[in-house]
Amino acid sequence: MNTLIILSALGIIALFAEIFRFRKALFPLILLGLGGAFFFTAKEYNHPQIFLGMMNFDNYAVIFSCAILIIAFLWFMMAKNYFLQETSVTDHFALILFSLVGAVVMVSFSNLTMLFLGIEILSVSVYVLAASDKSNVMSNESGFKYFLMGSFATGFLLFGITLIYGITGSFDLASIHTQVAANHDSGLVIAGILLLMIGLAFKSSLAPFHFWAPDVYEGAPTTVTTYMATVVKTAAFAAFFRLFSTCFAGVTGHWTDVLWWMVVLTLFVGNVSAVRQKSVKRLLAYSSVAHAGYIAIAVVSMGAASTSAILYYTFTYSISSISAFTILFIVSRHKGSKDISAFEGMSKANPLLSFAMTVAMLSLAGIPPTAGFFAKYYVFLTAINAGNTLLVLIAVIAALVGIYYYFRVIIAIYFKPEQQLVPIKVGPLHRTVLIITTILTLLFGLFPNLILGWI
Amino acid sequence: MTVYLFIILGVFAILSALMVVFTKNPIHSILYLVLTFFAIAGEYVLLNAQFLAIVNIIVYAGAIMVLFLFVVMLLNLNKETEPHKSILRQLIAVIAAGILLIVLVGSLKGADTMTIKPFAQNTGYIENLGQVLFKDFLLPFEVSAILFLAAMVGAVMLGKKDIK
C-alpha cells in the first residue's frame, strides 16, 4: 500500500513540477521517490498484509513490485535524455508513474476488480505514451493501434470476468478458487477461463494475439518501447500467473492444452519472423514476442518452481532488454538509422557499447555465462518436472533459431569492415545504465540464487 | 408478464444491434445504437437495477452517443470513404465470430441446472449500491481515481500544442 501511495504522490508531484517550474529538480526527486518506494516495499517482505480484501501484499507481490521498481529506476535513467528534449517532460513522467501504480496493482491483486483496474491504469498510460511523438506518423499509428486492439482485448477480459462472476458469485480470488473447483465441469467456467486467457495473452503478446506488438513496438518512441518490453511484460506475466495459479490451478485440464498451443505458436512466430528483420528495433520486438512464449512455458507447466522461474526470466530479460534498447537508442540517434547495418564495424571505436550489446544479445539468446541461459534453464526445468518434454524440445529448437538472429547483430558489430572510426558520444547516465545492466546480467548468470532465493 | 417484457426487450436489443452493423449510413448506425442502449436499460429496470438503467441512458445514450455523432459529422464519414474489405477477410471474421458464438451458447447451455442465489428485494437500490461501493469496494473505487487522472493527463498531453 505504501508503494501505491508513494508512486501516486510522485505522479501528482510530477504534474505540479510543470506549474511551479521545478522541472530540473523533478528527475532526482523521482529517483529518490522510487528508491523510497523500493525501501518501503522491501520492508513488507515476510509480512503479508491484506488491504480491504482487495490487495494481498504477500511475498509474491513484494518481490515482483521490487523487480518492477528496479526496472523502472533503470528505465528513468535511460529515458531522461530523450524526454528532456521534448517540451512535456513532466506529463511523460507523470504517466509513467501512474502506469507503475497499475503495475503494482497487477502483481498484488486479490480481487478481479483490482486486476481490471490495474491492467487499465497500466494500458491507458502506455497507449498515450506510444503516441507521444505527435509529429511522427508511425508513433500516431502505434498509439492508435495499441489503443483499439487493447480496448478489444479488455472487452474479452471483462467478458471472462463476468462469466466467472456468474458462476462463482464472487470477485475474490480465494472464493473463485473454491467455487470453480466445485463447478469444474460447467461450460461457463471453461468459457470464462478461456476469455480471461485471451485478454491476458493479448497484454503479454502471446500468439495469435501478438499482431499488434511488432507495429506498436516499432512505431513508439524507443524509450516507450523499452518500457513496454520490460515493465509492461513483467507486470502482465505476474498478473497472468497470479490469477491462474490462485484461481484455476485446480482445473488445469480446461486451459493448459490451449495455452500449450499458444506457446508453440508464439515460439515459432516470434523467432521465425525475427530472422527476416532488417531493423534492430523490429527484431527486438519479435524477440520480445518470442520471449513471452518462453515465459509462458512456466505458466503451462504450473508447479512449485514456476514462480521463481517466471521472476528470474522476466527480471533478467528486462535488464538485458534495457541494455539492448539503450544501445539501439544511442546508435540510432548517432547514425539516424535503426537497421543492423548501422551497427557495422563499431567495435573498434566504441568498445563499451559493443561489449554491452554483445552481453545483452548473448543473454537474450541464452548463452551460458549470462543470465539468459539460466532463465531458459529454469523455465525448461519446470516444464520437464511437469512432464512437458515435447514442449521443451520445441523451445530448444526455437532458441537455436534465436541464436542465429541475435548473432547477426554481434557479427555486424565485430566482423564487418569499419565504416567510420568516430566514437559515438555516450552520456554519463547512459554509461551508468549500461555498466549496471551489463554487470547485473553477468552477475545473475554466475549467481542465479541472488534472485531465486527470494521466492 | 415480466418474462414476456424481458423477451420483447431482448429481441428488440438484438435486432437494433444487428442494424448497427448492417446499415450503411454511420449516422443511422449510431441512432440504432441508442435504441439498443434504451432496450438494455429496460432490461436493467426489469432486473431491479434502476440506478444502472438511468446511468446507462445518461452516460451512454446521452453523452457518449452525442460524442459519436459529433465525430461522425465532423469527419464527414460516409459510404464512399469507407475502405473496402476483401471477401476473404469477411469470411475469416464471420468464422471467428461464429465459433465464439458457438462457444458462448454451448457454455450457457449447461447453466440452467445451476443453483441461483436467492433474489434479494432491494438488490439494485442506490442505497445498497452505495453501501457496496464505499464499504466492500472502497479500494477499487479510490484506485480508479488514478485511472481517470492518467486518462485526463493523457488526453491533455495528446491534445495540447507543443511549445518549441
Side-chain angles (χ1 to χ4, degrees), chain A residues 1 8 15 52 54-55 87 91 95 98 101 113-114 117 120-121 128 131-132 134 159 167 169 171 187-188 191, chain B residues 100 103-104 107-108 111 114 117 136-140 143-144 146-147 149-151 153-154 157-158 160 162-163:
Chain A
M1 184 56 79
S8 331
L15 289 176
L52 299 163
M54 292 289 156
M55 273 168 58
T87 42
D91 305 353
L95 279 176
F98 289 141
V101 174
T113 47
M114 289 304 274
L117 276 175
E120 279 307 283
I121 295 173
V128 176
S132 62
K134 279 179 269 180
F159 209 161
I167 197 140
F171 288 125
L188 276 178
Chain B
L100 183 65
V103 168
L104 288 178
S107 69
L108 284 167
M114 280 170 49
K117 275 193 176 177
D136 304 342
F137 287 86
L138 181 64
L139 191 60
V143 168
S144 61
I146 302 171
L147 174 63
L149 188 57
V153 171
M157 196 189 97
L158 285 182
K160 82 176 177 190
D162 276 340
I163 312 147

Side-chain angles (χ1 to χ4, degrees), chain A residues 336-360:
Chain A
S337 153
K338 294 189 178 74
D339 287 355
I340 293 181
S341 56
F343 286 82
E344 279 177 3
M346 59 180 261
S347 63
K348 281 269 165 57
N350 312 283
L352 172 75
L353 282 185
S354 313
F355 180 69
M357 190 65 170
T358 310
V359 171

Side-chain angles (χ1 to χ4, degrees), chain B residues 52 56 100 126 154:
Chain B
L52 211 53
N56 194 44
L100 183 65
I126 301 176

Side-chain angles (χ1 to χ4, degrees), chain A residues 6-7 9-15 17 22-38 69 72-77 80 83 89-98 100:
Chain A
I6 293 174
L7 288 174
L10 268 181
I12 294 165
I13 290 173
L15 289 176
F22 54 97
R23 256 187 259 166
K24 286 274 188 294
L26 181 61
F27 182 67
L29 207 64
I30 286 176
L31 289 192
L32 206 70
L34 285 178
F38 181 82
L69 287 171
F73 192 91
L74 289 171
W75 183 86
F76 269 106
M77 286 170 71
K80 188 202 172 209
F83 283 126
V89 50
T90 51
D91 305 353
H92 286 91
F93 282 173
L95 279 176
I96 288 285
L97 289 164
F98 289 141
L100 281 176

Side-chain angles (χ1 to χ4, degrees), chain A residues 203-227:
Chain A
K203 298 293 173 194
S204 42
S205 73
L206 286 174
F209 308 105
H210 71 287
F211 287 104
W212 60 277
D215 291 349
V216 171
Y217 277 37
E218 196 188 14
T222 308
T223 44
V224 179
T225 311
T226 318
Y227 190 79

